[in-house]
Amino acid sequence: MSDLIYQLKDLKVSFPDLSQKPLLGAAPRTQVLKGLTFDVAKGDVLGIVGGSGSGKSTLGRTMIRLLEPDSGSVLFEGSEIAHMNEDDLRPLRKKFQMIFQDPMSSLNPRRQVGGIIAGPMRLQGFDNLSARVNEALEMVGLPKTFTNRYPHELSGGQRQRVGIARAIALRPDFILADEIVSGLDVSSQAQVLNLLEQLVRDLGLTLAFVSHDLSVIRRLCSRILVLHQGEIVENALTANLFSNPQADYTRTLLDAIPLPDPNQVWE
Amino acid sequence: MSYLSIQDLSVRLRNGLPLLRKVSLDVKAGEVRALVGESGAGKSMIGKAVLGILPRAVRLTGGKILLDGEDLLALPPKTRRQRIGAKAALIPQDPLTALNPSRRIGPQITDRLVDILGWKRPEAEARALELLEEVHIQSPGRVMKSYPHELSGGMRQRILIASAFAAEPKLIIADEPTTALDVTVQKQILKLIREMQERHQTALLFVTHDLGVVSKISQSLSVLYAGKVIEDTDVRAFFDAPRHAYSKALLAATPKYTDPDGSLMPVPDNIIAAVEREVAAFDAQMNE
């Protein structure tokens, strides 16, 4: 099956619960992901949705191996990365990138935009850095002059574009976007979503979009994974999920979204 | 008769930069008015001006704030603080930073009853228990003895709602009280605020950037841009047909999951330019 970019099988992740730690000995562990199995096809835009604490960010971070799972398998383009060591992972890392939620804390305040975008490329041994930086800026619709700006000189939407430019500059196959529009105003949010959609199309990216907002997910994603307390409660094509939600939890989520419409009644 | 009436309120940074430009709005007893706008539009600043908690870097340069018919700004500072403390309260955005992490919940609710209204401790505690029941907290006795970190975000927000209603204020200012919560909890909290507000017939000024939330909670709204009210209308009229081009654009940029192919339109540059011109023209007129 060459058209799958990710194959995850029985993925389990737990964290130590330090609030329960005894004076001596190890803290008990809380299961965050309780055995997830699903595939991601190349070119998919996968929405990962769930309430706080559902494990959606943990899942994303495990997929790009910022976290190591307890057990289970993560196949990325056919290679098993679940327990791969950092030296072997390094060459793969340019193929999966991440865009972070808060662009202020994920951009180094002491570096200029050009340096921020070039950083990961330098680590990965790319050449022609300044040409690539310019190209990445152009793709996210920022002028070249921004290479000399500092993050604090930019608006929220512009900062998030820099985060996107840093991720796509490496020409990855897969990008994880973790709640990247939740801190933006609706207008900047619309701009960033439109940009992301265009980049997915132009660059043939596969995207996992973690969000708590089903309205945003519907706009962007082709397939949706609904997580609840560390388990997949629904995995469906976007159109099917909205026309005929299967899981009770999905319906609860849908009912809770406040539509900009005074005729929607909450019972 | 409006319980809160703000008239031509102007607030500037110390260097003269205008933050609020002659803002006028009214909230009647039992009415919920939403204050909408993008970040930096000055929505929270209005709430802070009413409560007398403006940051040091800004000053109030003109206008009137009438609370229950009395001009707050004409009162001596001490009297003003007493009036605000007795008649108004705030539901803040982030329930974790609003609660003192090193104190139990109980005293954090009863303090305002004891300090502002001069109640006795036991009376205040009985009232706090009642309030916690009113906001649908299951075991109020246990929660009174808990520390903030032991409770979930939704529970903490319920506590702040209880505490806001504790002294029976007739005006409550809610500053994005649900932005930190996830949608299912947000729904419960919005319903709770609405229920409490109706029961106590409170005037509620609700600050938010989410037009979805506006349509669920409020009867009227003021749309702000750069500290200027550009539209003041009732909710039904607004969602049927916003009058101002900027309001229309804001509504078009709001995603709706029921609208499958709905492409999201960022607020177009020409509309931003037009509303900026409107603000500049207003400033020019003020300086004449």
Side-chain angles (χ1 to χ4, degrees):
Chain A
M1 296 267 267
S2 63
D3 61 338
L4 295 180
I5 187 163
Y6 267 108
Q7 288 166 273
L8 284 86
K9 216 175 146 198
D10 202 22
L11 188 72
K12 289 185 180 153
V13 177
S14 65
F15 291 131
D17 179 0
L18 292 178
S19 69
Q20 304 291 322
K21 189 190 177 308
L23 193 54
L24 297 171
R29 298 184 78 85
T30 314
Q31 281 290 323
V32 179
L33 299 181
K34 300 168 183 164
L36 307 189
T37 303
F38 64 96
D39 298 331
V40 186
K42 278 209 169 83
D44 256 2
V45 180
L46 176 72
I48 303 176
V49 70
S52 12
S54 61
K56 50 191 196 302
S57 291
T58 305
L59 171 61
R61 281 162 194 261
T62 312
M63 286 171 78
I64 60 170
R65 269 305 308 278
L66 293 178
L67 293 172
E68 189 174 347
D70 296 358
S71 66
S73 137
V74 182
L75 288 184
F76 173 74
E77 295 182 339
S79 34
E80 175 61 68
I81 61 167
H83 303 287
M84 196 178 258
N85 65 43
E86 199 49 51
D87 288 345
D88 294 333
L89 270 174
R90 180 58 57 82
L92 284 176
R93 289 220 181 266
K94 63 173 173 287
K95 295 191 183 175
F96 42 83
Q97 286 293 306
M98 177 165 181
I99 311 167
F100 296 86
Q101 173 169 9
D102 175 8
M104 199 61 209
S105 60
S106 62
L107 302 176
N108 186 337
R110 296 170 50 163
R111 297 187 72 183
Q112 293 170 343
V113 166
I116 289 172
I117 299 174
M121 290 196 282
R122 191 170 291 124
L123 277 175
Q124 290 286 348
F126 281 71
D127 52 8
N128 285 330
L129 290 186
S130 65
R132 285 174 192 273
V133 168
N134 288 338
E135 191 193 18
L137 280 174
E138 198 186 320
M139 282 194 282
V140 298
L142 292 176
K144 279 181 199 156
T145 50
F146 270 53
T147 45
N148 299 322
R149 300 273 189 97
Y150 286 95
H152 74 263
E153 299 176 276
L154 310 179
S155 72
Q158 288 168 340
R159 275 181 215 137
Q160 202 49 287
R161 282 161 191 265
V162 172
I164 297 173
R166 173 170 62 185
I168 58 169
L170 295 153
R171 293 307 171 101
D173 297 333
F174 174 82
I175 288 185
L176 167 69
D178 191 353
E179 297 269 16
I180 63 167
V181 294
S182 55
L184 302 179
D185 283 322
V186 282
S187 182
S188 322
Q189 169 175 297
Q191 283 175 7
V192 168
L193 290 174
N194 289 347
L195 169 68
L196 217 52
E197 189 177 44
Q198 184 200 334
L199 289 172
V200 165
R201 222 176 23 237
D202 295 352
L203 303 176
L205 282 170
T206 308
L207 183 73
F209 189 88
V210 176
S211 178
H212 65 277
D213 187 340
L214 273 166
S215 296
V216 168
I217 289 216
R218 162 151 234 181
R219 167 79 187 81
L220 194 69
C221 302
S222 50
R223 177 171 275 285
I224 299 176
L225 211 60
V226 183
L227 287 185
H228 184 48
Q229 298 178 349
E231 288 175 274
I232 297 177
V233 294
E234 188 152 2
N235 177 2
L237 290 174
T238 303
N240 298 347
L241 184 116
F242 285 95
S243 62
N244 187 16
Q246 295 300 312
D248 289 343
Y249 182 69
T250 312
R251 273 190 289 269
T252 311
L253 266 187
L254 283 172
D255 287 343
I257 297 172
L259 291 169
D261 173 6
N263 296 316
Q264 179 201 23
V265 182
W266 271 351
E267 71 299 324
Chain B
M1 170 69 189
S2 300
Y3 192 75
L4 171 70
S5 176
I6 299 177
Q7 296 165 6
D8 292 334
L9 181 69
S10 293
V11 165
R12 285 170 187 268
L13 272 179
R14 296 249 173 230
N15 66 16
L17 193 79
L19 297 180
L20 293 181
R21 296 171 148 98
K22 292 208 162 193
V23 167
S24 297
L25 57 87
D26 289 274
V27 196
K28 290 195 269 292
E31 182 192 359
V32 184
R33 172 176 290 272
L35 270 179
V36 193
E38 297 186 84
S39 15
K43 6 183 231 311
S44 298
M45 202 60 78
I46 296 177
K48 288 191 170 132
V50 172
L51 294 173
I53 48 173
L54 282 172
R56 280 174 187 280
V58 307
R59 66 205 156 84
L60 222 148
T61 52
K64 282 184 179 166
I65 301 173
L66 302 180
L67 184 65
D68 201 6
E70 189 175 28
D71 185 1
L72 289 179
L73 303 177
L75 296 173
K78 194 175 172 204
T79 325
R80 180 163 71 221
R81 281 199 300 275
Q82 281 167 345
R83 288 287 191 285
I84 295 171
K87 294 180 173 178
L90 172 74
I91 305 176
Q93 173 168 4
D94 180 356
L96 194 51
T97 47
L99 289 167
N100 184 339
S102 63
R103 295 183 72 205
R104 295 177 198 272
I105 298 296
Q108 300 200 51
I109 302 176
T110 49
D111 273 359
R112 68 189 299 130
L113 295 173
V114 175
D115 295 349
I116 300 172
L117 302 182
W119 290 31
K120 298 263 182 305
R121 260 303 149 199
E123 282 173 353
E125 270 168 26
R127 171 82 180 125
L129 280 170
E130 253 173 55
L131 279 161
L132 290 179
E133 263 168 42
E134 217 183 323
V135 297
H136 310 299
I137 280 177
Q138 298 302 328
S139 38
R142 186 179 57 82
V143 169
M144 292 272 281
K145 293 197 188 69
S146 304
Y147 287 96
H149 75 266
E150 299 174 299
L151 307 169
S152 69
M155 284 273 262
R156 291 196 282 258
Q157 198 54 281
R158 281 172 198 275
I159 287 161
L160 287 170
I161 292 168
S163 138
F165 280 93
E168 296 279 354
K170 285 291 162 218
L171 169 72
I172 285 190
I173 292 171
D175 191 355
E176 308 238 13
T178 58
T179 4
L181 307 172
D182 71 72
V183 281
T184 50
V185 183
Q186 165 170 285
K187 179 176 173 181
Q188 297 164 5
I189 295 296
L190 288 176
K191 283 167 73 177
L192 174 66
I193 293 178
R194 194 64 203 264
E195 177 194 324
M196 297 285 286
Q197 176 271 332
E198 278 173 4
R199 184 180 312 143
H200 297 264
Q201 282 299 298
T202 320
L204 177 63
L205 191 59
F206 194 101
V207 175
T208 179
H209 63 274
D210 186 335
L211 289 174
V213 170
V214 171
S215 78
K216 294 292 147 303
I217 191 102
S218 66
Q219 289 113 29
S220 56
L221 78 163
S222 305
V223 184
L224 285 170
Y225 184 89
K228 186 174 179 314
V229 176
I230 59 162
E231 182 157 359
D232 175 341
T233 182
D234 77 76
V235 159
R236 288 202 170 262
F238 180 84
F239 286 96
D240 280 348
R243 280 199 309 272
H244 198 284
Y246 174 78
S247 314
K248 242 177 234 152
L250 212 53
L251 197 53
T254 306
K256 263 171 98 169
Y257 77 88
T258 43
D259 189 2
D261 318 302
S263 49
L264 286 182
M265 269 289 288
V267 178
D269 291 344
N270 62 332
I271 288 181
I272 300 275
V275 67
E276 288 284 352
R277 274 199 303 278
E278 199 181 315
V279 170
F282 178 82
D283 282 354
Q285 209 184 339
M286 286 303 96
N287 291 335
E288 266 171 22

